[in-house]
């Protein structure tokens, strides 16, 4: 990050038409050309006050600013409950409704007004079994909502803010044209008004049931041939997937569902996420992970000899790269036989762990606790351990790498003992970093399969296994989850893969999904855990990404504040690539970037990182689309300051652009620009990382300069 002055000729060249990235300072509103994609600015977060309104027929409304949920009622398996009698009265914090059902069973709702939220609690009594799906807030007619936030069940989403679809007059005649739609959301959901008023919805406890919300419509057509779209209502359900499990003493009290009203989506969702993390005691204070894993370079062909080569390559790099962990991925055994190594590794993985931790790194290991290869001894010797269909046949879950793969039944006591033994053994070998994959295979709907214990939900069974793993690896071990559902893992894991698998080329399903999910899941980064957007590719070999794409991906991952990792062999990287990797070094203490234009702006991605001691910000703008991006950005919307001294920034240079109140940028597809915005006319320190680490000071403190 040189402080040398930039020549005027170079500056003009930078701004010339046809550049992949151009940036033009705009000093006043009078100088502005016609606005191109100018987004409305963020507003200071403020909670709103919501209220319940009860009706004599047992239905109720929710009023949250301009947002209305009308004629809410409890539903069972998507149907309104059949009520013999309804009783309404006061409760300690609000109103209570008791519904007497046919068969002398009861549903009781507590509609509460809390400090900063509403909540609905539910109790079911005189029922021997739970419904499959119960919604205390069901069939609510939605008013004054034009968008909704949908959170995916787990890795890969899809998550994001979506516009409420509108039926059109298309598809009339011989083609049915009702245009019905329905979208499910998990963990956290939000309804948004045209003014960005936000109603966020979630339970604060996710250890027993999948908490699911659904936004859906009921369209109608009119005219001959169903030619015209008619009146259309949008509805909302919030409830729990209970899987028809038996109820102890014919009674259950469900977790409360909370509804929080705020004046913008990001802060409202983050507010409710913090409440969830506190209630579920999330592991959000673990040192930020900065690690290497073997998969994307070697895949399942990685060997003990190659591990030693990687370590020797790291030994030769000066100054030393302060990686925390070297993680061995899927390569060392037949899946399922975790403690029986293949011919590429020593008899046990203890020798591998020793090679790693003797050099001062955490030793990491990949395990998929529910996955069993049909060629494994576990599959052959313990067929009763597998999840089966109702014809008592094991259910194949997937077939990849020319094998067939099955899932262990996490409710089986012997399976639980085996999983405990595996992780206990790895801990004794010296592994202190664990990446667990395919945890979704442990979340199997109990009504669809035959398993050992049919008295628990899939969530309860998964949580039982998660408790076992955390106990065996120890409280101090770093646990990264992959291919996993989100909600039941809060409180157990330190890091969570949030996007689909990426590869060394830019595809919508890979890198495209990474940008979508990392952007839309940033509200809970370092709240539930450290978000892991997957690996960074800097290498030249075996890489279809352009240099521009590699840099955009690396900077994006680095600025967000989650895990930072790569599979590249550092011995093959150029000095420039090594400098970029060092530039991504995260803070030890988890710190997140903000995404100030989230929900205001659908084009491109913007992330901002605050550097308090420098009284400055890092601003990264990425064009993750396939079209050229040209936009104006007011600095006030990004930093909160009307004017900043602005610099174009990278790991080796800092180019002054002057004191500005806004900027115009032009980016080609997949390009990015990193800016340093300072309260004073001081450029970025030459050894400042994108996360705010003073690199030379860090290396001196940890004796890594020699």
């Amino acid at each position: 990050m040189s402080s040398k002055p930039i020549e005027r000729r170079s500056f003009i060249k930078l701004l010339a038409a046809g550049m992949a990235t151009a940036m033009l300072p705009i000093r006043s509103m009078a100088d502005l050309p016609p606005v191109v994609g100018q987004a409305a600015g963020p507003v200071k977060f403020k909670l709103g006050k919501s209220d319940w309104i009860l009706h004599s027929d047992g239905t109720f409304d929710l009023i949250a600013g301009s947002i209305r949920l009308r004629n809410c009622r409890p539903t069972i398996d998507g149907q309104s409950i059949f009520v013999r009698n309804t009783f309404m009265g006061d409760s300690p914090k609000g109103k209570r409704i008791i519904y007497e059902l046919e068969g002398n069973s009861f549903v009781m709702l507590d509609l509460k007004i809390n400090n900063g939220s509403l909540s609905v609690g539910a109790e079911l009594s005189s029922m021997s079994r739970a419904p499959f799906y119960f919604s205390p807030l069901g069939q609510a007619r939605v008013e004054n909502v034009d968008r909704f936030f949908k959170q995916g069940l787990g890795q890969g989403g899809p998550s994001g803010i979506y516009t409420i679809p509108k039926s059109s007059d298309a598809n009339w005649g011989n083609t049915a044209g009702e245009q019905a739609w329905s979208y499910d959301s998990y963990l956290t959901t939000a309804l948004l008004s045209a003014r960005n008023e936000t109603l966020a919805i979630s339970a604060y406890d996710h250890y027993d049931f999948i908490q699911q919300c659904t936004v859906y419509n009921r369209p109608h057509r009119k005219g001959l041939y169903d030619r015209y779209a008619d009146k259309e209502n949008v509805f909302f359900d919030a409830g729990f997937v209970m899987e028809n499990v038996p109820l102890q003493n014919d009674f259950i009290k469900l977790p409360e569902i909370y509804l929080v009203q705020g004046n913008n989506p990001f802060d409202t969702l983050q507010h409710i996420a913090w409440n969830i993390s506190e209630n579920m005691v999330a592991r959000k204070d673990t040192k930020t992970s900065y690690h290497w894993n073997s998969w994307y370079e070697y895949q399942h062909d990685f060997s003990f000899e190659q591990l030693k080569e990687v370590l020797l390559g790291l030994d030769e790099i000066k100054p030393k790269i302060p990686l925390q962990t070297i993680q061995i991925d899927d390569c060392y055994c037949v899946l399922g036989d975790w403690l029986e190594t293949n011919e590429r590794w020593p008899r046990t993985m203890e020798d591998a762990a020793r090679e790693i931790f003797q050099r001062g790194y955490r030793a990491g290991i990949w395990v998929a606790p529910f996955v069993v290869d049909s060629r494994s001894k576990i599959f052959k010797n313990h067929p009763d351990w597998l999840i089966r269909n109702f014809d008592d046949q094991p259910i194949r879950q997937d077939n990849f790498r020319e094998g067939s793969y099955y899932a262990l039944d996490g409710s089986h006591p012997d399976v639980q003992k085996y999983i405990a033994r595996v992780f206990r053994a790895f801990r004794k070998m010296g592994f202190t970093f664990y990446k667990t994959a395919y945890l979704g295979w442990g979340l199997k709907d109990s009504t669809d399969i035959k398993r050992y214990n049919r008295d628990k939900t899939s969530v309860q069974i998964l949580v039982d296994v998660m408790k076992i793993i955390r106990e065996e690896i120890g409280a101090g071990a770093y646990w990264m989850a992959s291919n996993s559902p989100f909600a039941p893992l809060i409180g157990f894991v330190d890091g969570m893969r949030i996007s689909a698998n990426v590869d060394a080329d830019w595809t919508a399903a890979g890198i495209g999904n990474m940008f979508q999910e990392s952007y839309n899941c940033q509200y809970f980064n370092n709240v539930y855990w450290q978000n892991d957007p997957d690996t960074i590719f800097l290498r030249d070999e075996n890489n279809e990404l352009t240099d521009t794409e590699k840099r955009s991906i690396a900077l994006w991952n680095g600025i967000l504040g989650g895990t930072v990792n790569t599979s590249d062999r550092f011995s093959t990287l150029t000095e420039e690539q090594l400098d970029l990797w060092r530039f991504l070094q995260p803070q030890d203490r988890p710190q997140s970037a903000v995404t100030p234009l989230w929900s205001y702006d659908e084009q491109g991605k913007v992330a901002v990182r605050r550097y308090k001691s420098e009284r400055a910000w890092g601003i990264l703008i990425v064009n993750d689309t396939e079209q050229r991006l040209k936009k104006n950005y007011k600095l006030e919307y990004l930093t909160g300051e009307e004017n900043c001294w602005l610099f174009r920034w990278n790991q080796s240079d800092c180019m002054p652009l002057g004191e500005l109140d806004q900027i115009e940028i032009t980016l080609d597809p997949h390009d990015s620009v990193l800016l340093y915005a300072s309260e004073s006319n001081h450029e970025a320190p030459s050894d400042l990382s994108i996360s705010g680490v003073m690199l030379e000071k860090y290396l001196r403190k940890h004796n890594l300069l020699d």
Side-chain angles (χ1 to χ4, degrees), residues 32 67 81 119 123 187 209 224 393 475 558 585:
L32 276 173
I67 296 174
I81 57 176
S119 66
E123 297 179 15
L187 182 54
F209 310 105
L224 297 177
Q393 297 300 309
Q585 182 180 328

Side-chain angles (χ1 to χ4, degrees), residues 110-135:
D110 274 331
L111 305 178
K112 298 180 181 179
I113 301 175
N114 312 299
N115 183 20
S117 70
L118 300 181
S119 66
V120 52
E123 297 179 15
L124 310 181
S125 58
S126 298
M127 294 184 185
S128 60
R129 282 190 171 272
F132 177 78
Y133 180 77
F134 172 73
S135 175

Side-chain angles (χ1 to χ4, degrees), residues 590-608:
Q591 296 179 17
S592 298
V594 297
T595 52
L597 300 185
W598 189 74
S599 82
Y600 294 91
D601 194 344
E602 297 179 356
Q603 293 182 303
K605 303 284 188 290
V606 179
V608 179

Side-chain angles (χ1 to χ4, degrees), residues 483-499:
N483 303 101
S484 301
F486 289 161
L489 274 293
I490 299 172
F492 294 108
V493 302
D494 304 278
M496 175 67 77
R497 272 281 305 282
I498 43 102
S499 63

